[in-house]
């Protein structure tokens, strides 16, 4: 007898927060002037339009990865010599599009991705990079939108609002530390563990990692999220205090994205 599979449980919290992050990103880009779109963003070599094109392109890849479409991650990225070439090609797909058309492209792709995520259970695997759960994938898409929105806000001198959604990015930055050290070709110190003790602007404490960790990283939640997404403009890294070798390496090499 074939077992009946229970309906998928939506990734409710992560998906709701992803929708809110994308809604905020959409409000940001819709508030820009035509002149803003062609300005340099805070990422070297990227205009504001490139930021939106990149997100639209990767949301299409996310959609096809979830739906088994032709641009699924496992097929789309290896078609280029390097991951950087894949990213650059995604930015160029927006060349010649108006701000309205770029925004509509991004909105369509993001809406489709969220719809597909809602049909999956939290523990289902998504073939993105080395593979991750649906829950983590939703968080990764949230992180991407926050980080690229930050590139736009920093370039245009716009304020950065600290929302409760940053706790997801903080946790992701902790969970990906071993990967980040591998990317940096740094051997993790043996028998060391890390706890983050972070404080939000309103005084709320966020702790990530084991209570008996050998190393502790302390400081503002926003500063750690900047470090984890490698957007350490200004004094972000200097606002954090590292106690232990692994904590010091986290400050140098954290990377919450592929």
């Amino acid at each position: 007898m074939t077992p009946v599979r229970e309906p998928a449980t939506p990734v409710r919290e992560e998906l709701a927060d992803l929708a809110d992050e994308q809604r905020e990103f959409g409000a940001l880009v819709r508030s820009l002037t035509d002149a803003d779109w062609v300005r340099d963003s805070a990422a070297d070599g990227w205009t504001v339009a490139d930021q939106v094109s990149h997100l639209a392109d990767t949301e299409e890849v996310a959609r096809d990865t979830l739906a088994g479409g032709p641009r699924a991650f496992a097929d789309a990225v290896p078609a280029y010599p390097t991951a950087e070439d894949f990213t650059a090609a995604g930015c160029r797909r927006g060349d010649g599009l108006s701000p309205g058309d770029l925004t509509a492209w991004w909105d369509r792709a993001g809406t489709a991705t969220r719809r597909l995520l809602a049909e999956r259970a939290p523990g289902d695997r998504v073939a993105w990079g080395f593979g991750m759960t649906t829950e983590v994938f939703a968080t990764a898409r949230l992180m991407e939108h926050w980080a690229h929105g930050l590139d736009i806000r920093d370039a245009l001198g716009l304020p950065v609002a600290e929302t409760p959604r940053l706790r997801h990015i903080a946790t992701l930055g902790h969970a990906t530390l071993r990967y980040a050290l591998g990317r940096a070709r740094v051997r993790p110190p043996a028998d060391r563990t890390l706890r983050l003790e972070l404080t939000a602007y309103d005084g709320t404490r966020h702790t990530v990692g084991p209570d008996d960790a050998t190393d502790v990283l302390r400081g503002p939640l926003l500063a750690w999220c900047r470090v984890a997404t490698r957007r350490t403009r200004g004094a972000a890294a200097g606002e954090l205090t590292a106690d232990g070798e692994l904590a010091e390496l986290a400050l140098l090499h954290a990377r919450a994205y592929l």
Side-chain angles (χ1 to χ4, degrees):
M1 179 177 178
T2 303
V4 176
R5 182 178 180 182
E6 293 295 323
T9 302
V11 189
R12 296 186 185 280
E13 182 180 359
E14 287 76 9
L15 193 54
D17 283 345
L18 172 60
D20 286 344
E21 192 66 42
Q22 290 182 325
R23 190 176 301 113
E24 186 172 296
F25 182 83
L28 167 64
V29 297
R30 291 184 180 97
S31 73
L32 303 178
T33 67
D34 287 351
D36 289 334
W37 282 79
V38 297
R39 288 178 59 175
D40 290 336
S41 74
D44 290 343
W46 290 47
T47 65
V48 169
D50 289 339
Q51 298 283 348
V52 182
S53 182
H54 167 68
L55 287 173
D57 180 64
T58 52
E59 283 299 305
E60 281 194 349
V61 175
R63 177 201 65 199
D64 277 16
T65 299
L66 293 167
R71 295 196 69 221
F73 186 96
D75 297 318
V77 178
Y80 294 86
T82 67
E84 290 73 20
D85 290 324
F86 161 76
T87 299
C91 292
R92 300 283 63 78
R93 289 186 67 204
D95 290 352
L97 294 181
S98 69
D101 287 343
L102 260 175
T103 303
W105 172 29
W106 162 78
D107 194 28
R108 286 192 305 272
T111 298
T113 297
R114 292 196 307 274
R115 176 180 57 78
L116 290 164
L117 282 170
E119 297 172 356
R120 287 180 167 238
D124 285 353
R125 302 295 294 179
V126 179
W128 189 277
F130 301 110
M132 59 187 74
T133 65
T134 305
E135 192 172 30
V136 172
F137 187 64
T139 298
R141 297 314 301 158
L142 185 159
M143 176 274 300
E144 284 280 342
H145 280 80
W146 181 79
H148 289 287
L150 195 61
D151 289 336
I152 296 172
R153 291 182 184 278
D154 283 351
L156 301 181
L158 299 175
V160 178
E162 185 175 317
T163 74
R165 298 187 295 273
L166 290 188
R167 70 190 186 282
H168 296 301
I169 300 170
T171 300
L172 186 64
H174 182 277
T176 53
L177 181 56
R178 296 286 165 166
Y179 158 78
L181 294 178
R183 284 273 312 205
R185 301 182 183 278
V186 173
R187 184 185 299 275
D191 302 321
R192 310 295 294 185
T193 54
L194 177 67
R195 183 173 72 254
L196 306 176
E197 295 181 356
L198 307 170
T199 306
Y201 73 99
D202 62 358
T204 302
R205 296 290 299 275
H206 295 277
T207 302
V208 183
D211 292 338
D212 62 350
T214 59
D215 296 32
V216 181
L217 191 64
R218 299 180 179 90
L221 173 63
L222 179 58
W224 167 247
C225 290
R226 280 186 173 274
V227 167
T229 57
R230 305 187 71 79
R231 266 89 176 162
T232 52
R233 306 172 191 110
E239 297 176 43
L240 296 161
T241 301
D243 182 4
E245 184 181 358
L246 184 58
E248 292 173 355
L249 289 173
L251 270 182
L252 291 173
H253 302 296
R255 178 188 173 109
Y257 57 90
L258 295 177

